Amino acid sequence: MEKRVHAAAIWLLMLLHGAAFAQGERTRDKMYQPIVGAGCFRRLNGTHQTGCSSTHAGSVGVLHLINVEADLEFLLASPPSPPYAPMIPPHLFTRRNLLRLIEAGPSNISVVLLINKPEKMKQFSHELNCPNQYSSLNNSETCDASNPATSWNPWGTGLLHEDFPFPIYYIADTEEISKLEKCFLKFNNFNYETHALRSLCAIEVKSFMSAAVSSEVCIRRTRFINNLSGSKYCDPLEGRNVYATVYPRNVSSVEAEETELAITSEKFILVTCRLDTASMFDGVGLGAMDSLVGLSILTQVAHLLRELLPPQSSLPDNRRNVLFVTFNGESYDYIGSQRFVYDVERFAFPKSSARRNLITFDNIEFMLDIGTLDDIANIKLHALSGTPLAQKLLQQLNNYAQSPRYGFNLNIQSEMSYHIPPTSAQSFLRRDPKFPALILNAKPANKYYHSIYDDADNVAFNYGNTSQDFTLLPDVGDTKNFKADSLQMKVRNVSSIVAMALYETLTGKEYTGSKVANPVLADEFFYCFLLSADCPLFKAASYPGSPKGLPMPPMRYVSVLGGPQESSGWTYRVLGYLLSQKQPKIPKDNCTILPLHYFAGFNGVGECRLTTQNYSSALSPAFLIDDYDWRSGNYSTWTESTWSLFSARIFLRPSNVHQVTTLSVGIVVLIVSFCVVYIISSRSEVLFEDLPASNAALFG
């Protein structure tokens, strides 16, 4: 009987505990409403920290909507119930306003919310006027930051490189913004002088960053702590470069010293572009005009050359090849290209697992770097000096750009000076100013460079969705699917011009054919990278039956080791597919070991292909060199802080009077409790007389 009573008591306690827990969950859900968004996070270099962080427990601020700049004055002039969390639209998210909020201090401003209301926005770039200015050629002629009008990013505010004492949270969804505005209007937007006397709608943002000061300090702390607990405070920015050749290279069978593996007679034309982009917020930023246009042109050039060129053995010089490289991490002091130069200098490219002979600088004939092509009607060929190579390539480009046969109607200008754009070629020219680097770059026109708004709208992309075979080459007159001024046709024109000029360089003959780059391929490319990874091009470049891509574009931020490498992964597949040679005689079961790869293909039925693509490391040499001088500026030193979570939620914050009253009542109750306990304890003999034997047995 006694055991049953005990069991019943235990079950009763468990039921009461479960009910209390469920009630607590319901109460919490009523008190807090989550807000979905993206957080600003902290990055560090050899000397500074940039970005944002909340306090360890989370930063709390009272919501205040900013509609005009004058609304900020309320927050900057002794607000009644600080700290506040201003909700700022993009056109007011300026350097001047953000610096004023920093000056107000954490006692007044604890959180900043960027709300996606771009109707009045005319520009939004928080990169420097001279991107990567500390890792470019050491010459003021390259970019003069004191003269933004002639810089490479005239609209840059530099906020991407500022350190903020509060978290900044970006809210894109209109329903979430409406939730915030309704809460503000209902509880905060009246009788401002009585804010301190009533409950107000507030937001709590948690985005605490573990790293601080600089990469040097963070790495040192991590290495020290690792000896004890294995904690990490930051990780180096790290990704993967993707490269491929037009013609397959022979498998190396030489067992010798590294310096003997390079075939000195092998010659490469190096065609490059950037793979990544940057923005202030985690997981947001597509870099459409910034770098995706250049990547699309490189992809089209590679595919067109693959289709047009004769077999390598029939070239006038059969030692020649084209090496395409997409560099990752270029937004952060040229991580990918610096590592490429470092590896080639040390006879370490490609890596030994590729089983291909090493490539040295002696093997590179010249470099054609595809930079930012903001305005395709105003493209220039840049070089440090007017060499015969530069003059010859410029002439070839314009022969096709101005040919009435093709109707491209472009005129490519030249600029031979130190005023060269911030592209990957800078890493090569820093090593050797005489290196034959040529850069295709347009006049700056991207008012949303390195920002969340460099998206499909910024490049006026409209998906054609033609369902046509994008691997086929159309005739130059086949333009029925796209308007002449569409993004797809602009990419077709520039890609065709570059490919034709390289064709002439390799074959020694002028291109006289009618085939040009396919605008349908450009259409599908931009759809995949700007709208949805669940797209025909990615499916064709995958193994048959592979899981679908996510219904959102791939992230294009370089990230860290173990982070998402979606952009490099898809680029690897697409380049591999478009540069590969079909092997119809090899069955699926035998098409399993690289360089053979089995692709789904346009029809999805599967096809074996001989591929040439591979990865190389995009980790800065600074993290490989023992006792590296972090302040030297020789290599990129960017790291990313670790963090536990990003979250935001709104709730009603009690007034100061309410909080003081609650605390006072609590203290009074505590004191009274102590007094009652003391009195009962001291009078226990009087209050609790001896019990009868029967009762004593029950309570004994």
mmCIF file of all heavy atoms in Angstrom, residues 197-217:
data_model
loop_
_atom_site.group_PDB
_atom_site.id
_atom_site.type_symbol
_atom_site.label_atom_id
_atom_site.label_comp_id
_atom_site.label_asym_id
_atom_site.label_seq_id
_atom_site.Cartn_x
_atom_site.Cartn_y
_atom_site.Cartn_z
ATOM 1 N N LEU A 197 7.589 55.898 -18.090
ATOM 2 C CA LEU A 197 6.546 55.572 -17.120
ATOM 3 C C LEU A 197 5.654 54.419 -17.558
ATOM 4 O O LEU A 197 4.729 54.062 -16.833
ATOM 5 C CB LEU A 197 5.677 56.813 -16.855
ATOM 6 C CG LEU A 197 6.422 58.068 -16.386
ATOM 7 C CD1 LEU A 197 5.456 59.226 -16.223
ATOM 8 C CD2 LEU A 197 7.150 57.788 -15.073
ATOM 9 N N ARG A 198 5.910 53.867 -18.764
ATOM 10 C CA ARG A 198 5.033 52.796 -19.232
ATOM 11 C C ARG A 198 5.840 51.721 -19.960
ATOM 12 O O ARG A 198 7.010 51.918 -20.299
ATOM 13 C CB ARG A 198 3.951 53.355 -20.155
ATOM 14 C CG ARG A 198 4.459 53.887 -21.485
ATOM 15 C CD ARG A 198 3.282 54.319 -22.359
ATOM 16 N NE ARG A 198 3.659 54.535 -23.743
ATOM 17 C CZ ARG A 198 4.019 55.706 -24.249
ATOM 18 N NH1 ARG A 198 4.070 56.767 -23.442
ATOM 19 N NH2 ARG A 198 4.346 55.809 -25.527
ATOM 20 N N SER A 199 5.180 50.589 -20.187
ATOM 21 C CA SER A 199 5.835 49.501 -20.909
ATOM 22 C C SER A 199 5.947 49.859 -22.387
ATOM 23 O O SER A 199 5.032 50.445 -22.972
ATOM 24 C CB SER A 199 5.031 48.204 -20.753
ATOM 25 O OG SER A 199 5.003 47.806 -19.405
ATOM 26 N N LEU A 200 7.085 49.474 -23.003
ATOM 27 C CA LEU A 200 7.364 49.824 -24.392
ATOM 28 C C LEU A 200 7.738 48.580 -25.190
ATOM 29 O O LEU A 200 8.285 47.618 -24.638
ATOM 30 C CB LEU A 200 8.513 50.837 -24.467
ATOM 31 C CG LEU A 200 8.295 52.173 -23.751
ATOM 32 C CD1 LEU A 200 9.589 52.973 -23.725
ATOM 33 C CD2 LEU A 200 7.187 52.976 -24.432
ATOM 34 N N CYS A 201 7.455 48.621 -26.484
ATOM 35 C CA CYS A 201 7.832 47.519 -27.367
ATOM 36 C C CYS A 201 9.335 47.579 -27.615
ATOM 37 O O CYS A 201 9.863 48.607 -28.062
ATOM 38 C CB CYS A 201 7.066 47.612 -28.682
ATOM 39 S SG CYS A 201 7.358 46.190 -29.771
ATOM 40 N N ALA A 202 10.015 46.482 -27.334
ATOM 41 C CA ALA A 202 11.473 46.431 -27.454
ATOM 42 C C ALA A 202 11.882 45.183 -28.224
ATOM 43 O O ALA A 202 11.088 44.261 -28.434
ATOM 44 C CB ALA A 202 12.116 46.448 -26.075
ATOM 45 N N ILE A 203 13.124 45.155 -28.651
ATOM 46 C CA ILE A 203 13.682 44.005 -29.352
ATOM 47 C C ILE A 203 14.950 43.547 -28.650
ATOM 48 O O ILE A 203 15.718 44.365 -28.134
ATOM 49 C CB ILE A 203 13.963 44.332 -30.837
ATOM 50 C CG1 ILE A 203 14.331 43.053 -31.598
ATOM 51 C CG2 ILE A 203 15.046 45.398 -30.979
ATOM 52 C CD1 ILE A 203 14.324 43.221 -33.110
ATOM 53 N N GLU A 204 15.137 42.242 -28.625
ATOM 54 C CA GLU A 204 16.360 41.653 -28.097
ATOM 55 C C GLU A 204 17.078 40.946 -29.245
ATOM 56 O O GLU A 204 16.489 40.104 -29.921
ATOM 57 C CB GLU A 204 16.059 40.649 -26.987
ATOM 58 C CG GLU A 204 17.301 39.937 -26.467
ATOM 59 C CD GLU A 204 16.967 38.749 -25.575
ATOM 60 O OE1 GLU A 204 16.416 37.757 -26.104
ATOM 61 O OE2 GLU A 204 17.248 38.827 -24.368
ATOM 62 N N VAL A 205 18.330 41.298 -29.480
ATOM 63 C CA VAL A 205 19.139 40.685 -30.530
ATOM 64 C C VAL A 205 20.335 39.990 -29.885
ATOM 65 O O VAL A 205 21.054 40.595 -29.097
ATOM 66 C CB VAL A 205 19.624 41.734 -31.555
ATOM 67 C CG1 VAL A 205 20.590 41.098 -32.551
ATOM 68 C CG2 VAL A 205 18.437 42.341 -32.289
ATOM 69 N N LYS A 206 20.504 38.725 -30.235
ATOM 70 C CA LYS A 206 21.647 37.957 -29.742
ATOM 71 C C LYS A 206 22.562 37.631 -30.924
ATOM 72 O O LYS A 206 22.182 36.915 -31.846
ATOM 73 C CB LYS A 206 21.190 36.660 -29.071
ATOM 74 C CG LYS A 206 20.463 36.884 -27.752
ATOM 75 C CD LYS A 206 20.132 35.568 -27.069
ATOM 76 C CE LYS A 206 19.473 35.807 -25.708
ATOM 77 N NZ LYS A 206 19.145 34.527 -25.025
ATOM 78 N N SER A 207 23.758 38.192 -30.883
ATOM 79 C CA SER A 207 24.753 37.923 -31.930
ATOM 80 C C SER A 207 26.148 38.177 -31.350
ATOM 81 O O SER A 207 26.937 38.926 -31.920
ATOM 82 C CB SER A 207 24.505 38.812 -33.149
ATOM 83 O OG SER A 207 24.599 40.183 -32.787
ATOM 84 N N PHE A 208 26.411 37.541 -30.240
ATOM 85 C CA PHE A 208 27.686 37.784 -29.554
ATOM 86 C C PHE A 208 28.832 37.146 -30.322
ATOM 87 O O PHE A 208 28.775 35.972 -30.693
ATOM 88 C CB PHE A 208 27.640 37.227 -28.130
ATOM 89 C CG PHE A 208 28.949 37.399 -27.388
ATOM 90 C CD1 PHE A 208 29.379 38.647 -26.983
ATOM 91 C CD2 PHE A 208 29.743 36.294 -27.116
ATOM 92 C CE1 PHE A 208 30.583 38.802 -26.319
ATOM 93 C CE2 PHE A 208 30.945 36.441 -26.443
ATOM 94 C CZ PHE A 208 31.365 37.694 -26.047
ATOM 95 N N MET A 209 29.872 37.925 -30.558
ATOM 96 C CA MET A 209 31.056 37.465 -31.282
ATOM 97 C C MET A 209 32.181 37.137 -30.298
ATOM 98 O O MET A 209 32.468 37.923 -29.391
ATOM 99 C CB MET A 209 31.533 38.542 -32.257
ATOM 100 C CG MET A 209 30.505 38.905 -33.309
ATOM 101 S SD MET A 209 30.278 37.604 -34.530
ATOM 102 C CE MET A 209 28.489 37.542 -34.649
ATOM 103 N N SER A 210 32.819 35.991 -30.517
ATOM 104 C CA SER A 210 33.854 35.535 -29.589
ATOM 105 C C SER A 210 35.181 36.245 -29.780
ATOM 106 O O SER A 210 35.946 36.407 -28.829
ATOM 107 C CB SER A 210 34.076 34.026 -29.756
ATOM 108 O OG SER A 210 32.877 33.313 -29.611
ATOM 109 N N ALA A 211 35.482 36.658 -31.010
ATOM 110 C CA ALA A 211 36.794 37.231 -31.316
ATOM 111 C C ALA A 211 36.806 38.728 -31.054
ATOM 112 O O ALA A 211 35.763 39.392 -31.056
ATOM 113 C CB ALA A 211 37.164 36.951 -32.762
ATOM 114 N N ALA A 212 38.010 39.256 -30.851
ATOM 115 C CA ALA A 212 38.157 40.686 -30.619
ATOM 116 C C ALA A 212 39.569 41.126 -30.968
ATOM 117 O O ALA A 212 40.488 40.315 -31.074
ATOM 118 C CB ALA A 212 37.841 41.024 -29.158
ATOM 119 N N VAL A 213 39.714 42.419 -31.183
ATOM 120 C CA VAL A 213 40.973 43.150 -31.389
ATOM 121 C C VAL A 213 41.504 42.985 -32.818
ATOM 122 O O VAL A 213 41.464 43.910 -33.610
ATOM 123 C CB VAL A 213 42.055 42.755 -30.362
ATOM 124 C CG1 VAL A 213 43.311 43.619 -30.568
ATOM 125 C CG2 VAL A 213 41.531 42.896 -28.933
ATOM 126 N N SER A 214 42.046 41.800 -33.147
ATOM 127 C CA SER A 214 42.648 41.586 -34.464
ATOM 128 C C SER A 214 42.829 40.098 -34.707
ATOM 129 O O SER A 214 42.701 39.287 -33.783
ATOM 130 C CB SER A 214 44.002 42.293 -34.557
ATOM 131 O OG SER A 214 44.940 41.671 -33.691
ATOM 132 N N SER A 215 43.158 39.751 -35.946
ATOM 133 C CA SER A 215 43.407 38.340 -36.265
ATOM 134 C C SER A 215 44.588 37.804 -35.478
ATOM 135 O O SER A 215 44.568 36.654 -35.023
ATOM 136 C CB SER A 215 43.672 38.181 -37.774
ATOM 137 O OG SER A 215 42.516 38.439 -38.520
ATOM 138 N N GLU A 216 45.607 38.624 -35.316
ATOM 139 C CA GLU A 216 46.796 38.177 -34.586
ATOM 140 C C GLU A 216 46.443 37.777 -33.156
ATOM 141 O O GLU A 216 46.821 36.699 -32.677
ATOM 142 C CB GLU A 216 47.849 39.281 -34.570
ATOM 143 C CG GLU A 216 49.112 38.909 -33.803
ATOM 144 C CD GLU A 216 50.120 40.031 -33.741
ATOM 145 O OE1 GLU A 216 49.765 41.177 -34.094
ATOM 146 O OE2 GLU A 216 51.265 39.765 -33.328
ATOM 147 N N VAL A 217 45.692 38.644 -32.470
ATOM 148 C CA VAL A 217 45.308 38.369 -31.078
ATOM 149 C C VAL A 217 44.377 37.164 -31.027
ATOM 150 O O VAL A 217 44.527 36.282 -30.165
ATOM 151 C CB VAL A 217 44.623 39.609 -30.466
ATOM 152 C CG1 VAL A 217 44.040 39.269 -29.096
ATOM 153 C CG2 VAL A 217 45.615 40.752 -30.354
#
